[in-house]
Amino acid sequence: MASAQSLSDLAGSDKPLVLQKQGSVFVGGRTIKTEDAGWGNMEPVFGESFEAGNVLVDQMYVQFQVPVGATHTPIVFMHGGLLSSKQWETTPDGRMGWFEHFTRQGFPTYMAEQSGRARSGFNGSIFNQVSRGKVPPSKQPRVYLGTSDMAWKMFRFGPEEGEAYPGQQFPLEHVQELYKQIIPDMFETQVPSLLNELGSPTTNNPTVENVAELASKLDGAILVGHSQSAGFPTQAVLKEKGGIKGLIQLETGCFSNLTPQQVELLAKIPILFMVGDYLGQNPSASCDKEIEQIKAAGGDITFVSLPEAGLHGNTHMFMQDKNNIEVANLIIKWIDEHVESR
Amino acid sequence: MASAQSLSDLAGSDKPLVLQKQGSVFVGGRTIKTEDAGWGNMEPVFGESFEAGNVLVDQMYVQFQVPVGATHTPIVFMHGGLLSSKQWETTPDGRMGWFEHFTRQGFPTYMAEQSGRARSGFNGSIFNQVSRGKVPPSKQPRVYLGTSDMAWKMFRFGPEEGEAYPGQQFPLEHVQELYKQIIPDMFETQVPSLLNELGSPTTNNPTVENVAELASKLDGAILVGHSQSAGFPTQAVLKEKGGIKGLIQLETGCFSNLTPQQVELLAKIPILFMVGDYLGQNPSASCDKEIEQIKAAGGDITFVSLPEAGLHGNTHMFMQDKNNIEVANLIIKWIDEHVESR
């Protein structure tokens, strides 16, 4: 269970990856004024305080690669809570992740790092305001940490930490490498209500605004959300910026409270919901309701429970499970049939 | 000055990039117990508290790509303060960054994200301890934010924000895209003494330990530091894990207080210091002393001031300046002559 991943574990592929372009870009962001940049005591070093000034927040970092001879619509992956875009790269046991696999299958592939996380940064002024007594500690945003126990249970590796579900597919012998992916979630610095909003089709979450903007700039993109971000693709459609060609929501992002106008917008775009194993009855009641509404409005909506589709043992993290390529190929088949054959 | 980068600005290259492998991996990290994971109030949602448990900290995220037919020694880039590995990717005006350029020149290319930053995460427990009154606010780590004014002056774009040095090479018409790269620096959560340590050849900084480990695992690597991380390559050599084939320290990471034993270790490895323009007298007194000591011990040490080498107008961020490829090629020439011709 404890064996750490090393560079020599990295499997890679026998076939070269041929890219037309690669890189990274930011989408969105706004300038705010801070009086609390944290440098107050640094005047002896820098000669001036730099304590007040403008900082840029809410920007979204996007990493991408475009294969030579792309054959598919661009696809944008959004990571879940407590995680970064690393989620879509090399798996904990060193196999190919979906970022590379989708590129190799002909997709211009984008990973959007949620505003407030990792390379996208967060708005940090309030922590310095608390340090200096300007704001009471009780008003400070929580810094959410993912414990190993929490990850084990929430990601459905097994009923108790160290005990695996029979037949489960996560590479648990390298679970420490997953724990290294888990980083502080600063969503309270940005969208204090985010947890309440997970069931709301409308949001002020800058990531949703930014990913809608990205799809519009790309002039055509399939949006993929997972877990915390599962509902972001739907929320992005409702921003009505255009360019969204398909919605893929993994575990799960259903909304049971859509207005008729929202249903009408969503019925124009193919939608896929996908869930793994160990969930009991699927789809949930809220998914049932959304599916019924979208279908009644003439929409194209598919719900895939992986065990019912013949893939067993998948956890919440099926993009990293041992059969992650099979799961990806099921998604690509849906894209072929529902998005690109249109 | 305000024009934002858009996806259509991304220049890329006419020639495909052919990779043998790509991916990401973590190096290092340790498990700590926290009683303050931030979820205390979430029991109604999750059914249990997840407030206490194990979290992994001090790990270092490393993104890499290896070209088909690599012809050079692996090279590892470390970003500066307030920045992430984005620093080495697409420039603010959409040109190719050094991550891609070095890969195209035949280097297996690695970007090490400092422990405590971006995808490497940070140790966040203390913020929750402050929120709950367990620790006084004055003991809370500062969250260092880079203001636009600070970046403009410290990165030597000009004497005052909005006023450029004549002939300077940074793409200032896209400076907002640089400001988006600037994210909170959490070094006080990890190495409270980091600013004092910038002049010390020994350190407990986990990034230094981790990058030394990376070089050893790669069984041969050139380490590149910049600004806050400029001295990390030297500090990594002094960890004596082996595998370091060359040191490249950009702006600047000189140490004037090396012991004879340290000088002896460093004299075995080729060293390059490189600085940009607008710095006045170069090298500084501390660099002078180190250069003299290393040379006296038979070492191979080179100091390049870009304006003296005929490249004018380079700022602190010369990996993003308009002539960034010329600067990179000067470094590659040094690698050819001092590291690989050995």
Side-chain angles (χ1 to χ4, degrees), chain B residues 5-6 16 19 35 52 54 65 97 119 136 155 173 183 220 243 260 265 281 286 293:
Chain B
Q5 181 190 36
S6 74
L19 301 179
E35 303 288 329
N54 293 326
Q65 53 192 11
R119 294 182 183 168
F155 296 175
E173 64 284 10
I183 61 176
L265 284 166
Q281 176 75 35
S286 69
Q293 287 179 313

Side-chain angles (χ1 to χ4, degrees), chain B residues 200-213:
Chain B
S200 163
T202 59
T203 178
N204 292 318
N205 186 340
T207 301
V208 171
E209 187 76 20
N210 293 338
V211 83
E213 186 68 26

Side-chain angles (χ1 to χ4, degrees), chain A residues 203-223:
Chain A
T203 179
N204 292 319
N205 185 340
T207 301
V208 171
E209 188 76 20
N210 292 339
V211 82
E213 186 70 26
L214 174 61
S216 163
K217 281 181 172 167
L218 287 172
D219 198 23
I222 298 162
L223 302 186

Side-chain angles (χ1 to χ4, degrees), chain B residues 294-306:
Chain B
I294 301 280
K295 283 190 175 165
D300 174 3
I301 188 163
T302 308
F303 187 97
V304 173
S305 161
L306 289 172

